[in-house]
Amino acid sequence: MKVLVAVKRVVDYNVKVRPKADGSDVDTANVKMSINPFCEIAVEEAVRLKEKGVVSEIVAVSMGPKQCQEQIRTALALGADRGILVETDEELQPLAVAKCLKAIVEKEEPQMVIMGKQSIDGDNNQTGQMLGALTGMAQGTFASEVVVEDGSVKVTREIDGGLQTVELKLPAVVTTDLRLNEPRYASLPNIMKAKKKPLDTSTPADLGVDIAPRTKTLKVEPPAERQAGVKVADVAELVEKLKNEAKVI
Amino acid sequence: MSILVIAEHDNAELKGATLNTIAAAKAIGGDIHVLVAGAGCGAVAESAAKVEGVSKVLLADNAAYEHQLAENVAKLVGDLGKDYGHILAPATTTGKNMLPRAGALLDVQPISDIIAVESADTFKRPIYAGNVIATVQSSDAIKVISVRATAFDAVAAEGGSAAVESVDIADDAGVSSFVGEELAESDRPELTAAKVVISGGRGMQNGENFEMLYKLADKLGAAVGASRAAVDAGFVPNDMQVGQTGKIVAPDLYIAVGISGAIQHLAGMKDSKVIVAINKDEEAPIFSVADYGLVADLFDAVPELETKL
């Protein structure tokens, strides 16, 4: 079966981002960009399913500026077969991304779409669920285990109280949580090979999708700083402070 | 326009996060209706009707909603939500699973995980793992919002007397089914609801050593959590994880034991009222957010703390 994997270009998780001085946006000038960690887990899961013989083709799709090609190439180096870039320099909000993905799903007809549960920049945790709504596909969010069966997939989900398993009819959307797998590193020969794999480019307009933003960011600011308190000498002093100063025990 | 709040519950009782979400609804202002979708959940609707500030409870009692399958509940919320100005749900795994799906059905761009209400269309929410706070304004006719429970003080569970109205919609999308659940069982309070939380990190060295924290927790009526490092090392299960990728907590007292204080952990607990850090590395970043820091070997300090309490 065919699997579609969505990958997002985000500020690398090791970079500590800061708001711009005028508070208009986050300062992303000259910072390292990478594939969103949850998306990398999605690619890895698709590749493992291919290695097991469950999946025959993996299509990696990304959206945004031209540079998103880099993240598609990363996915290709990890084992995806071909790439699709939906190119735009406009801001893409999750609903717009879900609509573009829907258009691609209609064209490619994958049996499963695997994507990260959220991106580490916007932290929205929405796109997979919205793609499910728009296509009518079932959704297995926050997956820690994915087992494909005949015509269906069993997804074990990380929920607040523990784990929940659901069975979804295919085609379905799966969004990955951290413990689904540990992504591999791309080998140098695979990175070289990835450069020759096909990568098609289209635009939201080609897909017939209106990407006009629905929300506006009025300002960004750093969170309230917490002041460091005092060091206590020993356990006795700690207990005394908690009882008499903080009055929390 | 009225506000529709989606109740979090397990068909038996109304979960606390609902009360925080209703508090956010009050901050927006307007008539507050609560939707209880489930199966055999009449008692939950009765509790919701007693909550301060609620003017109506909608009860959708049907087998299709028993396990909160997103495909079914989102359809219901999409159907009912058309008549509302705002739709709010707690930003729990249940809310996060269902709400964006309902948003897309209404052609709305939802706003996730709000921590403050600026006005009826403008909200604050953390981005970049809490390193940045964004103020976001929605131009959609219906605002679909998930609420970070710890950022709003719960409304009173008693004092209201709303009418309960049955909703006769049975949305079964027929594409998903519930197979099973493995819920962590514990006599201790739930992490996100506990007044005191004790968390262990990589410094605990193994899962057996968490026994020390459990003993201390039982003395304080506390919940026990862990850092991602401790979870990744296999000491404890993932449902104990506190942090950006785990649970967000804001108890009255948070005791971090053997936790260095990675950004992703701090994002999950820095809104706690009082933070205590016990770590033998005096350079550990956790001390920069701790109200009381104790530089000590946790294997000495924790048992001593237990006996002194």
Side-chain angles (χ1 to χ4, degrees):
Chain A
M1 67 181 202
K2 189 198 276 189
V3 167
L4 193 71
V5 181
V7 295
K8 184 174 183 185
R9 175 183 173 87
V10 297
V11 172
D12 187 87
Y13 75 99
N14 284 312
V15 175
K16 188 168 194 280
V17 296
R18 289 188 171 76
K20 285 181 186 165
D22 66 0
S24 61
D25 202 351
V26 173
D27 193 356
T28 54
N30 303 317
V31 300
K32 186 182 175 205
M33 303 296 283
S34 295
I35 186 169
N36 179 46
F38 289 103
C39 303
E40 206 171 359
I41 294 170
V43 176
E44 175 67 31
E45 194 64 16
V47 173
R48 289 187 190 190
L49 288 171
K50 193 176 174 191
E51 287 167 347
K52 279 187 204 153
V54 177
V55 165
S56 51
E57 187 186 22
I58 303 167
V59 182
V61 52
S62 190
M63 296 177 200
K66 199 181 197 70
Q67 293 88 332
C68 293
Q69 284 188 7
E70 294 165 18
Q71 281 62 49
I72 296 177
R73 293 287 174 204
T74 304
L76 296 174
L78 291 170
D81 296 295
R82 61 188 170 90
I84 299 173
L85 169 64
V86 180
E87 192 177 330
T88 176
D89 289 326
E90 304 296 314
E91 181 193 354
L92 280 171
Q93 296 186 341
L95 180 62
V97 173
K99 286 179 178 178
C100 291
L101 282 173
K102 177 193 180 222
I104 293 171
V105 164
E106 281 169 356
K107 199 167 147 237
E108 296 282 343
E109 297 181 333
Q111 283 296 292
M112 201 155 52
V113 181
I114 312 181
M115 49 206 293
K117 73 165 180 178
Q118 71 189 68
S119 59
I120 59 165
D121 48 4
D123 282 336
N124 284 299
N125 192 335
Q126 295 173 348
T127 310
Q129 294 90 313
M130 295 174 104
L131 176 63
L134 298 175
T135 57
M137 284 193 274
Q139 65 185 52
T141 54
F142 328 146
S144 65
E145 196 182 356
V146 175
V147 181
V148 178
E149 294 171 352
D150 191 25
S152 69
V153 57
K154 276 208 178 89
V155 178
T156 301
R157 310 178 50 237
E158 304 222 354
I159 59 170
D160 285 336
L163 298 171
Q164 180 193 63
T165 304
V166 290
E167 184 168 355
L168 315 173
K169 279 190 187 159
L170 294 175
V173 183
V174 171
T175 77
T176 61
D177 216 320
L178 281 172
R179 296 204 303 176
L180 181 58
N181 60 50
E182 261 184 60
R184 69 195 67 192
Y185 291 97
S187 67
L188 191 59
N190 284 341
I191 293 171
M192 299 312 289
K193 260 193 265 174
K195 291 183 179 170
K196 295 201 183 79
K197 289 184 179 175
L199 198 170
D200 292 330
T201 301
S202 68
T203 65
D206 293 341
L207 300 173
V209 175
D210 172 14
I211 59 164
R214 305 294 190 83
T215 65
K216 196 168 130 191
T217 299
L218 302 182
K219 75 173 170 186
V220 297
E221 60 199 318
E225 285 286 325
R226 204 179 167 107
Q227 298 298 318
V230 295
K231 290 255 169 70
V232 292
D234 51 32
V235 171
E237 189 188 348
L238 176 63
V239 171
E240 189 272 321
K241 295 262 193 202
L242 289 177
K243 276 191 175 142
N244 301 320
E245 195 176 272
K247 298 191 171 68
V248 283
I249 56 172
Chain B
M1 291 287 266
S2 308
I3 301 172
L4 182 64
V5 173
I6 316 302
E8 173 105 1
H9 65 91
D10 57 5
N11 294 319
E13 59 179 29
L14 186 69
K15 297 288 179 186
T18 314
L19 302 179
N20 307 87
T21 306
I22 293 170
K26 278 182 93 173
I28 293 167
D31 255 13
I32 299 172
H33 300 177
V34 174
L35 170 64
V36 176
C41 53
V44 178
E46 294 303 324
S47 314
K50 291 193 193 112
V51 174
E52 175 204 344
V54 174
S55 62
K56 186 157 82 174
V57 174
L58 302 173
L59 170 61
D61 196 335
N62 189 286
Y65 309 129
E66 183 179 0
H67 299 290
Q68 302 296 325
L69 290 172
E71 296 80 5
N72 302 349
V73 179
K75 205 154 172 294
L76 173 71
V77 172
D79 287 342
L80 295 172
K82 291 187 180 80
D83 302 327
Y84 288 87
H86 294 77
I87 303 172
L88 272 60
T92 55
T93 48
T94 311
K96 290 187 215 174
N97 185 39
M98 183 280 294
L99 200 67
R101 191 167 178 116
L105 292 174
L106 292 163
D107 194 30
V108 168
Q109 170 57 57
I111 299 180
S112 295
D113 220 8
I114 65 161
I115 55 168
V117 173
E118 299 292 290
S119 72
D121 67 0
T122 306
F123 311 91
K124 287 195 177 193
R125 59 179 301 266
I127 55 174
Y128 288 93
N131 284 309
V132 178
I133 307 297
T135 304
V136 179
Q137 184 175 40
S138 166
S139 59
D140 282 313
I142 303 172
K143 321 298 183 219
V144 175
I145 295 164
S146 67
V147 176
R148 181 175 289 193
T150 53
F152 295 87
D153 289 330
V155 297
E158 304 283 336
S161 56
V164 177
E165 208 175 88
S166 277
V167 176
D168 199 20
I169 306 176
D171 280 322
D172 188 349
V175 290
S176 58
S177 56
F178 173 83
V179 177
E181 224 161 39
E182 277 175 56
L183 298 182
E185 290 196 17
S186 166
D187 297 333
R188 294 183 195 94
E190 236 182 294
L191 257 179
T192 50
K195 294 252 184 277
V196 181
V197 173
I198 305 168
S199 288
R202 205 196 298 272
M204 297 303 295
Q205 293 180 2
N206 58 47
E208 289 76 58
N209 288 334
F210 267 73
E211 206 49 50
M212 277 186 339
L213 303 189
Y214 296 134
K215 276 166 84 178
L216 181 59
D218 289 340
K219 212 144 188 186
L220 287 167
V224 177
S227 69
R228 179 158 160 211
V231 171
D232 283 349
F235 299 171
V236 290
N238 189 48
D239 51 54
M240 287 173 64
Q241 189 193 145
V242 172
Q244 180 66 20
T245 51
K247 293 196 171 75
I248 310 285
V249 301
D252 292 341
L253 173 61
Y254 188 88
I255 306 179
V257 182
I259 290 178
S260 64
I263 292 171
Q264 98 87 23
H265 184 73
L266 301 183
M269 45 65 81
K270 66 183 166 48
D271 293 327
S272 306
K273 290 202 177 69
V274 174
I275 297 175
V276 171
I278 302 175
N279 200 307
K280 65 180 174 193
D281 173 14
E282 62 178 313
E283 301 295 322
I286 190 78
F287 287 120
S288 70
V289 300
D291 298 284
Y292 303 109
L294 176 60
V295 180
D297 188 329
L298 68 93
F299 294 102
D300 300 328
V302 174
E304 191 185 342
L305 184 56
E306 194 212 322
T307 57
K308 287 208 159 70
L309 286 169

